[in-house]
Amino acid sequence: MKNIRNFCIIAHIDHGKSTLADRLLEFTGTITDREKQDQLLDSMDLERERGITIKSHAIQMDYQYKGEAYTLNLIDTPGHVDFSYEVSRSIAACEGALLIVDAAQSIQAQTISNLYLALENDLEIIPVLNKIDLPSANPEEVTDDIVDLIGCAAEDVIPASAKTGLGIEDILEAIIERVPAPKGNPEEPLQALIFDSVYNSFRGVETYFRVINGAIKKGQHIKFIATGKKYFADEVGTLKLKQVPKSEIKTGDVGYLITGIKEAKEVKVGDTITDAKNPTTNAVEGFEDVKPMVFAGIYPVDTEDYEELRNSMEKLQLNDASLVFIPESSAALGFGFRCGFLGMLHLEIIQERLEREFDMTVITTVPNVSYHAYTNKDPDVKILVNNPSDLPDPSKLNRVEEPYIKASIITKSEFVGNVMSLCIEKRGEITNQTYLTTERVELNFDMPLAEIVFDFYDRLKTVSKGYASFDYHPLGLRASKLVKVDILLNSQPVDALSALLHADNAYSIGKKMCEKLRQLIPRQQFDIPIQAAIGAKIISRETIKALRKDVTAKCYGGDISRKRKLLEKQKKGKKRMRQVGNVEIPQEAFMAVLKLND
């Protein structure tokens, strides 16, 4: 055990985490020249294109240091705020963390939030100043920022460049010297933490775990504490680039487990594995069921593809247990699914994976969050509202509670005014403002989650010219004055465009929605009224004017009464048309509602 080191890498998006992992694997000889490629641990094309890690990975490296053989387990973590629970479980499986800061961009919000997670778990932090070879790098100033942030000495910060391989040896030395060996008792009953799982179509779900006490052997009967289910360990082993089967994984080590589970839902990240016959009495702390934060409807463009979409979603769910969906139908869009996501990035990724991996083009409705509604009849019974149509009738409604978040934004001091006005416009309340340096400010806001679901992130980047980083964590629910705004087309409500909005913003957003739809819906032979309504009260109206067919074009000369006769006939036809006229809504109209401020 004394020669095992478990560590993770924490960094903001695009600070060079995946590239540094590549260099560590090369330097320790874990991969051969033939296997080399950029972002080796990022297996999805989507991850490579966007330069982000979506799915965390783990890999074991062997390294000789001062004549002794060491086993280094790198547990990679995703960098985006949507996946913060997975990051917390990866951190719980480690004893040390490499804190990577870009020498050109300095400290960002995600770095700080993941650093606090690591400090809560008593991890040994090794600060690394990456990208010092860049012409725009500012190593002295950023080193001072790191020293201020974690209170280490300036010489503890390792200057490195993951691109050129500079400082990699110093990092490996620091991991061995500074990160403590795992503590644990090999004699106690088995206790192991699940930090990730991957679906393999031939072998079922592969569970990645870290043994805390005891050992796990091939052929052992095991039990998952949170689900209470028992399994048989068909295969255990360690995670090199390819899996290496072993007869047992001992205390402190990291490995994989195959039990032939076919449902990804059965393996919960953060769960504890123990022996079925001699179970441990204490589960690993910090386990939570991952709760979706953002809900949206996903519908096939062609209703005949509904079953195909269901199959695609089920296959996606095998790889991503945090995706939840239930069937629903909409009068405007036909049959589809109401899906729950961890956040907006997760929604985008699922949509993109449906298109790429399963060739499914889908329509996504306006995303919203989950509310709790209470009626006057029994004010203590909460009704879960994931869809605007679930909201009880306004006359029976007692109150609605919506989820709030604590947002942390780090930006340059010159953009503080712009960022503040954006957050206040989004119903944010400022709770704290800290100058990290003379140039950089951290702003803390309490905000409703619903307000950041729309276009908050894009607008934040716009008002700060790209110099703001954003991170959040949930605060709980607070009572709010919310109303349901319906969009009526030709007096028919379109359920897919309904939204739950705060009473103060309902009028302006309703007006903007009507204006946007007027531009996007093609003209018909009859007038189409577009109305925004709260209950029976119309708050805004736009009209798409009718196309006029020139019925008198064939009359040249002759009596006026002939022309009038044709026009009267057209007028009657238009009247009949208006009564039965249906309006087709183009797909762009559903997406345009998300970009009302463009």
Side-chain angles (χ1 to χ4, degrees), residues 15-296:
H15 278 206
K17 190 167 47 141
S18 298
T19 316
L20 184 82
D22 293 348
R23 290 299 88 77
L24 290 171
L25 294 176
E26 276 171 33
F27 198 86
T28 54
T30 308
I31 52 170
T32 59
D33 286 350
R34 212 176 91 195
E35 292 165 331
K36 256 187 216 175
Q37 60 171 357
D38 287 346
Q39 288 169 267
L40 187 77
L41 295 180
D42 293 348
S43 49
M44 271 186 255
D45 292 342
L46 202 58
E47 293 181 307
R48 293 168 184 282
E49 282 167 30
R50 290 190 172 212
I52 54 175
T53 302
I54 295 167
K55 190 94 180 97
S56 57
H57 295 269
I59 194 159
Q60 193 177 79
M61 302 174 269
D62 295 320
Y63 186 58
Q64 289 281 340
Y65 176 68
K66 293 186 179 171
E68 282 194 59
Y70 285 88
T71 301
L72 310 178
N73 288 311
L74 162 61
I75 297 173
D76 192 17
T77 58
H80 197 274
V81 44
D82 283 5
F83 307 110
S84 55
Y85 174 67
E86 287 167 35
V87 176
S88 79
R89 294 304 82 206
S90 295
I91 285 175
C94 299
E95 277 82 32
L98 295 179
L99 174 74
I100 297 185
V101 180
D102 185 329
Q105 294 181 43
S106 190
I107 292 159
Q108 305 281 335
Q110 197 67 47
T111 322
I112 291 183
S113 80
N114 286 350
L115 170 69
Y116 287 154
L117 268 179
L119 290 172
E120 278 169 28
N121 283 287
D122 293 334
L123 264 61
E124 177 63 40
I125 308 289
I126 300 171
V128 177
L129 186 63
N130 195 17
K131 304 193 187 182
I132 58 167
D133 57 323
L134 287 181
S136 58
N138 197 344
E140 292 84 8
E141 197 177 302
V142 180
T143 303
D144 291 345
D145 290 354
I146 296 172
V147 170
D148 289 347
L149 180 67
I150 59 176
C152 62
E155 51 274 13
D156 290 345
V157 181
I158 304 170
S161 163
K163 197 169 167 189
T164 61
L166 178 77
I168 299 298
E169 201 167 345
D170 299 342
I171 293 172
L172 285 165
E173 188 181 317
I175 290 167
I176 290 167
E177 294 284 350
R178 295 194 216 166
V179 175
K183 297 179 183 69
N185 186 347
E187 306 304 318
E188 279 189 28
L190 168 66
Q191 183 194 21
L193 167 73
I194 298 175
F195 61 83
D196 198 11
S197 66
V198 179
Y199 184 76
N200 179 326
S201 46
F202 299 108
R203 311 176 75 183
V205 179
E206 298 168 359
T207 309
Y208 294 171
F209 63 87
R210 142 87 200 267
V211 183
I212 293 167
N213 290 315
I216 185 166
K217 297 179 179 67
K218 183 180 176 178
Q220 183 176 355
H221 281 282
I222 52 161
K223 178 183 168 187
F224 287 4
I225 290 181
T227 58
K229 297 201 174 176
K230 295 179 181 176
Y231 305 101
F232 182 74
D234 295 335
E235 186 182 309
V236 294
T238 51
L239 295 147
K240 292 281 176 46
L241 196 58
K242 305 250 186 328
Q243 293 171 340
V244 184
K246 294 270 173 83
S247 59
E248 83 172 319
I249 303 287
K250 295 186 174 133
T251 312
D253 212 349
V254 171
Y256 71 92
L257 162 74
I258 292 173
T259 53
I261 298 173
K262 291 283 184 278
E263 288 276 324
K265 291 182 205 135
E266 290 182 30
V267 182
K268 294 184 185 290
V269 172
D271 198 353
T272 308
I273 306 173
T274 187
D275 187 52
K277 297 188 185 98
N278 177 21
T280 178
T281 47
N282 49 342
V284 180
E285 287 175 10
F287 170 73
E288 289 171 28
D289 267 327
V290 181
K291 293 183 189 72
M293 302 285 270
V294 172
F295 293 84

Side-chain angles (χ1 to χ4, degrees), residues 30 49 86 89 159 206 248 288 342 356 360 391-392 411 418 453 483 511 544 561 570:
T30 308
E49 282 167 30
E86 287 167 35
R89 294 304 82 206
E206 298 168 359
E248 83 172 319
E288 289 171 28
L342 297 174
R356 286 181 180 211
M360 293 291 314
L391 193 74
T411 184
N418 299 354
V453 164
V483 290
K511 190 167 186 291
I544 300 173
S561 60
Q570 183 186 33

Side-chain angles (χ1 to χ4, degrees), residues 6 16 40 53 126-127 169 246 300 345 372 408 414 419 469 513 586:
N6 298 322
L40 187 77
T53 302
I126 300 171
E169 201 167 345
K246 294 270 173 83
L345 178 83
H372 289 175
S408 154
E414 62 199 85
V419 171
S469 61
M513 278 168 123

Side-chain angles (χ1 to χ4, degrees), residues 293-299 326-331 333-334 336-340 365-373 383-392 400 483-486 494-501:
M293 302 285 270
V294 172
F295 293 84
I298 287 187
Y299 293 87
I326 51 166
E328 74 164 1
S329 64
S330 146
L333 298 171
F337 296 97
R338 186 97 201 141
C339 307
T365 62
V366 185
N368 65 326
V369 299
S370 182
Y371 301 94
H372 289 175
I383 301 164
L384 197 65
V385 179
N386 289 338
N387 194 342
S389 59
D390 301 341
L391 193 74
V400 182
V483 290
K484 178 182 166 203
V485 175
D486 288 312
V494 182
D495 52 359
L497 291 172
S498 298
L500 278 179
L501 302 169

